[in-house]
Amino acid sequence: HKEKMASVILHAFDQIRAGGEVRLFKSHRPDFADGAQRRDFIFVDDVVAVLHFALAAAVPRGIFNLGTGSSRTFLDLAQATFAALSVRPNIRFIDMPETLRERYQYATEAHMARLRGAGYDAPFTTLEDGVRQYVARLLAVAA
């Protein structure tokens, strides 16, 4: 069975609602604990705000990174999802599929200097606030 493309929060939300747990990949590197793999998670409302800025400002042509500039762990995201649902965290670590292990990126983080240099100075939503808002929207749709 193939997993559908969806946000990590949506996967966590669905896993918690279905079975009361979130499954995260174990680390297969000694320099990363299980769940300590990092991504620069960004709230979709912040992406939209940056796009509006780029349309309104005379942003030079080119490629701009878009993230918060501060990576967080998958464990942080899972714990924030449990907190947003007022559910005690229950995280199970599963083996990463063999096909991913050699090419898996353990840490990513956007370098934001170019966007900031173009004049975008708004703060980004914290992981916890973004998860809380997203989960609230998911709950409203599910009601």
Side-chain angles (χ1 to χ4, degrees):
H1 137 315
K2 274 192 142 178
E3 285 291 320
K4 293 179 182 173
M5 291 296 293
S7 75
V8 180
I9 301 166
L10 181 59
H11 281 298
F13 176 87
D14 287 344
Q15 289 174 20
I16 293 166
R17 301 259 305 199
E21 71 176 13
V22 169
R23 295 177 304 278
L24 296 177
F25 287 142
K26 292 178 185 175
S27 174
H28 292 275
R29 284 181 40 181
D31 53 335
F32 282 85
D34 292 343
Q37 301 92 328
R38 303 179 72 84
R39 294 289 180 274
D40 191 345
F41 299 107
I42 184 167
F43 187 45
V44 67
D45 288 4
D46 291 337
V47 172
V48 172
V50 170
L51 293 174
H52 280 267
F53 166 79
L55 288 171
V59 175
R61 290 177 69 158
I63 297 172
F64 289 78
N65 287 324
L66 184 49
T68 64
S70 179
S71 66
R72 298 286 301 275
T73 69
F74 281 93
L75 192 56
D76 291 337
L77 186 138
Q79 291 171 332
T81 307
F82 279 108
L85 287 166
S86 299
V87 174
R88 191 175 142 266
N90 180 17
I91 299 167
R92 180 166 51 104
F93 294 101
I94 62 172
D95 283 324
M96 184 180 299
E98 292 279 345
T99 56
L100 290 180
R101 287 185 196 176
E102 290 302 313
R103 63 176 196 233
Y104 186 80
Q105 291 183 304
Y106 272 73
T108 63
E109 185 173 279
H111 298 287
M112 300 302 297
R114 186 151 195 233
L115 182 63
R116 294 299 192 193
Y120 190 79
D121 60 1
F124 291 105
T125 306
T126 66
L127 175 70
E128 289 76 11
D129 286 344
V131 169
R132 193 175 311 108
Q133 290 179 54
Y134 187 23
V135 167
R137 291 175 187 172
L138 290 171
L139 289 171
V141 170

